[in-house]
Amino acid sequence: MQISDLPYPDPGVPDARSGPRFLLWLGRGQLSGQLKSLCWGMLHFGGVAGLPYAVGLGIDAVVDREANRLLLVGGLLVLIGVAISVGDAMLHRTAVTNWITAAARVQQLLARKTAELGSALTRRVAAGEVVAVSTGDVEKIGWFVEAVSRFLAAVFSIVLVCVGLMFYAPELGVVVSVGVPVVALASLPLLPRATRRADIQREKAGKATELASDTVAGLRVLRGIGGEELFLGRYREASQEVRKAAVRSARMWALISAIQVVLPGLLLITVVWYGASLALDGRIAVGELVAAFSAVATLLYPLRHFEEIAMAYSFSRPSAQRAARVLSLTRTDAAERPEQSGPVEEPAAGGDLYDPRTGLLAPAGRFTAVVCGDPDLAGRLAERLGGHAMEEQDADRDGDGNQGQDGEREAKDGPSVLLGGVALDDLELGTARRLVLVQDKDPVLLSGTLRELFDVPASGAVDPGAALAAAQCADVLDALLQSAPDGVDDPMDARITERGRSLSGGQRQRLALARSLVTDPEVLVLDEPTSAVDSHTEARIADGIADLRAGRTTVVLASSPLLLDRAERVVLIVDGTVAAVGTHRELLHREPLYRAVVTRETEEEQRLAGLGMTELEEALTEIEESA
């Protein structure tokens, strides 16, 4: 795989059981690239390893006054120089290619997983961790992949030097062959401690990133309540903790680097002292002494790659672990159930939507409203209805309410939602998404023109103009046209900024609703689609949804009386199960809890509402006396 061939047609199915397994899987997918890099590295380091022997032969030729042999040595040095130069250039080229292609593969896998999980991803993994995995962690994983071939080539050159010295100058070769492994492995006992400190640094950096992401996302609210300084102070504290952890980690790596400098220096001194004594005794020639000295000095270069590979693995292992944790997430645990004997047939059109866990039934072709009273429960129910059968529970959190080290949330799976009697979990993801569309309470608008916003998979039965009218977007179109540059006469060609930041919350919400209406899915699930609009607009939107979705299954999770009154069927869910079913007006009269949620009645108001006239007068007299 070359950089020009990216992206991968298929990045493959990763082994996400652990970080090391993921790195091994990634390496197996790049065997050809690694072999190319290794070959060029062997050429480069082989030239480096052969350089001392050529120098030794040249000195022997000078001492022996053999011009022809000196000429041959000169030619050999030229060849070695070419090998070193070409090998180094191609090693760098192929190694960086391995880095980029590995990073691209990981990013494609993460993008595919993000598309698969949708909004459920950030419910199960902290948003800051997702950002860290897709940016810094991808780079560290690529670094390790890139360093492997250089390290193996360095090992080859070290072995070549040691074996060559054993034949060229056996007495000095023994010293070098014993000393080099000691130098290479001397830092090994310090690596676990260095890795732990690096892990702590990355953990604190992830928390700081998450805190910064949350602060930026809620900046408008923070300004409104004057909480900017509070969160700024928290971020300062978090950044200082990251700095302290980084200093502690750097000290350990500095110690390892110092060992990699001191021990080779001691080995060099030992070789020079012992070699000089052998030369004085006449046991070795001067050329052999120079060759041995040059060989040991040359070894300092490949030995540095032992430190690099240790550092790269220490940094990439937790990064690969986080990436594997994200990639191991599934829509549900349906994959762990026995596999179907054959492909699951798509449910017939016009099937009911049924949730076995809560008992919620949304009849086909009807407008069903669901009242939960708990916004978090409503959000989880919307995800379940879209095929994400999970009940999230917050994982361990620290004293400040931040997520724990792994940043995950546990997911407890239950029976899948059924559409026309077919489990959504058993359907292909694309089929499930096409049949059931879920719009959460905080939809995202991507930057681009309004026409591009509506360029989504759709049945074609709903025109964008009709969807915009149903969502009451006339003022949004006017605002986009006014802010558009000269020459833009059609609001569909007006541009929307990133996440629709130039629009108000209500305008963004209505545009997202219109986009959902355009798709015209078999089942449309809307979670609080009108929470950011005024009551007059909300009433017209309720009529628009009911009219445009007539004959199509629509489920709206809301507590607004205007939406509930327009629904054909209203379901009250209490403690995760269906408690009552009826129309909005029926439930207002017979269900006190429903009335409390919808009308925001207090317990005292509910008690007074159930009293007779005489009892009501007595209660009012009692309240006045107590006042």
Side-chain angles (χ1 to χ4, degrees), residues 7-16 22 25-26 103-121 130 133-134 138 323-331 388 428-430 433:
Y8 285 92
D10 179 12
V13 180
D15 185 350
F22 178 65
W25 174 86
L26 202 60
R105 187 190 293 270
V106 177
Q107 286 177 330
Q108 281 186 247
L109 291 170
L110 291 171
R112 186 174 67 182
K113 182 60 64 174
T114 301
E116 176 187 344
L117 296 178
S119 61
L121 176 62
V130 176
V133 170
S134 59
V138 168
R325 186 162 55 239
V326 174
L327 294 174
S328 65
L329 298 175
T330 57
R331 271 201 302 159
H388 302 280
E428 291 291 335
L429 178 61
R433 292 274 172 85

Side-chain angles (χ1 to χ4, degrees), residues 591-604:
E591 292 293 337
L593 183 57
Y594 177 84
R595 186 169 58 249
V597 172
V598 172
T599 63
R600 309 293 195 271
E601 283 185 348
T602 63
E603 293 183 1
E604 183 64 22

